[in-house]
């Protein structure tokens, strides 16, 4: 099936100005729009402003870069870290207390000691992490719940939770929560990580309905819950004419369901894709067009450098210079390495590339970028800031 994204080729700058701005930058690279990211964060936080204690947590592994960390901190977001290295880096960038979550699969004693000194919340994912936490004086912990079985929303299967490596069942939650509570932990929360890339605004409400019986049973054990981390969920639409998840509507629907909880509980979220996804462009120079059984547009990068999130052919691509709608041809857009899996798009309509043409991948901020690329933040003052970090 042919894919054309004519209505989605817009960029956050006029293309002439964009071409001048990036003329001296070696490809491939990612370019993030500071204004768009900040506005998306503010819109989402406003949508959940009804919830006292709401906190937005950004997974640091998604974009462990200094410029992005500063932006998140200034906008009031926290970060989650899954390794000791990420935890140390987040601390160096100024995150601490409720703005910092430590969520390794199996925490180290050293990592827990650092998390404790920073006042971070520690995710308790299994019996081993629970046992380690019992030996450490941590300020806050969050029990990761996995409901198991098929998780559905309006008749659609979103995921099969039993396949997830994260989380514990109800029996384990009820076993470890009272012990952790009695160790003197100041805040004990629940969290769920089921799926990403959801457009239905009833998703967080459905997650709360899964957590409600757990909260009620813990209340009977005199173990109150201080917050609920609903994880990721709000996603982007990769189909022309279909809007992204609407932050305001997600906030309204979630508020309706939160009112059914036995008591008012702060809600945490991890809606990172809404923030960076639409406000990032990926640039890669076109090396050549190879004409064989099909036409292949060969880029100077490879798909391994790019987030492998979209289904085949779902990347939104355009050319930096040639944007004409007429005389387009079908191309497979591929990386420069000779592996068959290195495809950015298949059977997509694009103009004939001119000499020294650059291919743009739109909405490129939806997953962790790979190594070997440049990372730049287009600042609100019109300057470019190189970003560095753990990549």
């Amino acid at each position: 099936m042919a894919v054309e994204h004519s209505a989605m080729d817009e960029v956050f700058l006029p293309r002439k100005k964009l071409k001048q701005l990036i003329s001296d930058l070696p490809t491939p690279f990612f370019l993030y729009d500071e204004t768009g990211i900040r506005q998306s964060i503010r819109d989402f936080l406003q949508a959940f402003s009804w919830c006292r204690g709401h906190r937005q947590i950004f997974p640091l592994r998604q974009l462990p870069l200094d410029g992005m960390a500063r932006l998140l901190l200034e906008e009031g977001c926290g970060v989650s870290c899954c390794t000791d290295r990420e935890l140390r880096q987040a601390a160096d960038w100024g995150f601490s207390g409720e703005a910092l979550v430590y969520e390794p699969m199996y925490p180290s004693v050293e990592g827990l000691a650092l998390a404790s000194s920073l006042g971070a919340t520690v995710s308790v994912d299994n019996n081993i992490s629970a046992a380690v936490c019992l030996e450490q004086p941590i300020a806050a912990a969050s029990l990761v719940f996995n409901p198991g079985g098929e998780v559905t929303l309006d008749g659609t299967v979103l995921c099969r939770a039993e396949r997830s490596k994260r989380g514990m069942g109800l029996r384990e939650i009820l076993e470890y929560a009272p012990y952790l509570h009695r160790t003197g932990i100041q805040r004990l929360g629940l969290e769920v990580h089921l799926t990403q890339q959801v457009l239905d605004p009833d998703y967080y409400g459905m997650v709360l309905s899964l957590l409600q019986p757990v909260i009620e049973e813990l209340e009977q054990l005199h173990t109150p819950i201080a917050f609920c981390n609903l994880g990721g969920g709000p996603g982007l639409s990769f189909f022309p004419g279909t809007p992204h998840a609407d932050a305001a509507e997600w906030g309204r629907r979630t508020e309706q369901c939160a009112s059914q909880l036995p008591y008012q509980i702060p809600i945490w979220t991890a809606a990172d894709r809404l923030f960076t996804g639409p406000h990032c462009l990926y640039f890669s120079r076109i090396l050549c067009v190879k004409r064989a059984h099909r036409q292949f547009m060969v880029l100077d990068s490879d798909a391994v450098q790019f987030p492998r999130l979209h289904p085949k052919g779902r990347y939104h691509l355009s050319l930096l210079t040639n944007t004409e709608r007429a005389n387009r041809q079908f191309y497979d857009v591929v990386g420069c390495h000779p592996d068959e899996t290195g495809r950015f798009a298949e059977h997509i309509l694009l103009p004939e590339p001119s000499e020294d043409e650059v291919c743009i991948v739109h909405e490129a901020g939806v997953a962790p970028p790979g190594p070997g690329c440049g990372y730049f933040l287009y600042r609100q003052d019109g300057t470019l800031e190189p970003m560095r970090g753990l990549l």
Side-chain angles (χ1 to χ4, degrees):
M1 179 180 178
V3 179
E4 181 177 14
H5 299 106
S6 58
M8 308 182 77
D9 291 351
E10 296 181 2
V11 293
F12 48 80
L13 284 172
R15 286 180 181 260
K16 184 177 181 180
K17 182 177 180 180
L18 185 62
K19 187 175 181 181
Q20 294 172 346
L21 187 72
I22 67 171
S23 59
D24 296 329
L25 300 180
T27 54
F29 64 88
F30 290 85
L31 181 63
Y32 297 86
D33 176 30
E34 180 182 16
T35 300
I37 294 172
R38 286 187 185 274
Q39 189 59 53
S40 292
I41 293 174
R42 292 170 186 175
D43 290 345
F44 192 85
L45 294 180
Q46 178 60 36
F48 282 79
S49 60
W50 53 267
C51 179
R52 182 179 300 175
H54 170 251
R55 184 167 290 279
Q56 166 61 32
I57 304 295
F58 193 101
L60 192 64
R61 63 186 176 277
Q62 294 292 91
L63 205 59
L65 299 167
D66 51 5
M68 189 58 60
R70 184 195 65 249
L71 187 157
L72 293 170
L73 198 60
E74 291 173 355
E75 294 298 331
C77 295
V79 294
S80 60
C81 308
C82 57
T83 66
D84 295 2
R85 184 184 180 212
E86 289 180 0
L87 187 64
R88 288 190 294 270
Q89 184 64 81
D92 289 344
W93 284 334
F95 293 93
S96 63
E98 287 191 15
L100 190 56
V101 176
Y102 179 50
E103 53 175 14
M105 285 293 293
Y106 295 99
S108 67
V109 174
E110 295 78 10
L112 278 177
L114 178 57
S116 177
S117 68
L118 295 168
T121 299
V122 178
S123 290
V124 179
D125 188 77
N126 49 61
N127 62 326
I128 295 177
S129 56
V132 175
C133 286
L134 287 171
E135 300 173 359
Q136 295 288 328
I138 58 177
S142 182
L143 294 158
V144 186
F145 176 57
N146 185 328
E150 286 187 347
V151 177
T152 62
L153 182 59
D154 291 336
T156 300
V157 177
L158 297 179
C159 68
R160 290 174 172 80
E162 75 275 2
R163 297 183 61 189
S164 174
K165 62 184 178 182
R166 297 199 65 181
M168 300 178 284
L170 178 60
R171 181 180 61 82
E172 290 83 6
I173 294 285
L174 298 179
E175 178 181 353
Y176 294 122
Y179 284 109
L180 290 168
H181 185 61
R182 287 197 290 268
T183 62
I185 288 177
Q186 299 171 14
R187 301 189 314 276
L188 184 63
L190 283 175
E191 61 182 282
V192 178
H193 302 277
L194 296 176
T195 188
Q196 298 271 10
Q197 199 46 42
V198 182
L199 299 180
D200 192 327
D202 288 322
Y203 173 75
Y204 276 157
M206 180 273 295
V207 175
L208 282 173
S209 70
L210 294 175
L211 288 176
Q212 183 169 347
V214 184
I215 295 170
E216 292 172 349
E217 292 214 36
L218 288 173
E219 188 179 22
Q220 294 177 11
L221 296 174
H222 306 288
T223 307
I225 292 301
F227 61 89
C228 289
N229 185 345
L230 307 185
L236 307 183
S237 167
F238 301 114
F239 298 93
T242 304
H244 303 319
D246 185 312
E249 188 62 23
W250 277 66
R252 283 192 292 269
R253 301 285 185 92
T254 307
E255 182 181 12
Q256 294 170 5
C257 296
S259 64
Q260 306 301 315
L261 296 176
Y263 50 91
Q264 187 177 23
I265 303 176
I267 289 173
W268 294 8
T269 52
D272 52 282
R273 292 185 181 183
L274 279 185
F275 305 156
T276 57
H279 308 296
C280 176
L281 302 172
Y282 178 78
F283 295 82
S284 186
R285 200 166 302 279
I286 299 172
L287 296 178
C288 66
V289 173
K290 177 183 178 181
R291 292 177 172 84
H293 299 289
R294 302 172 76 159
Q295 290 195 113
F296 297 93
M297 191 176 290
V298 184
L299 306 185
D300 68 348
S301 58
D302 194 42
V304 297
Q305 294 174 308
F306 196 78
R308 288 175 289 179
L309 179 72
H310 302 255
K312 186 185 295 184
R314 296 277 169 81
Y315 290 109
H316 299 169
L317 275 66
S318 68
L319 303 186
L320 177 60
T321 304
N322 190 350
T323 60
E324 65 178 25
R325 307 252 64 86
N327 302 318
R328 294 195 165 205
Q329 302 179 45
F330 290 110
Y331 295 94
D332 286 11
V333 183
V334 299
C336 57
H337 293 177
D339 57 278
E340 289 300 325
T341 59
R343 293 172 183 263
F344 289 88
E346 188 172 7
H347 207 51
I348 186 171
L349 279 169
L350 287 171
E352 181 74 18
S354 57
E355 186 177 354
D356 202 34
E357 181 64 273
V358 173
C359 181
I360 302 175
V361 182
H362 299 253
E363 298 172 336
V366 291
C373 301
Y375 308 93
F376 298 90
L377 184 65
Y378 179 68
R379 300 295 305 275
Q380 293 175 312
D381 61 6
T383 60
L384 281 183
E385 176 189 345
M387 294 192 290
R388 298 175 178 82
L390 299 180
L391 292 169

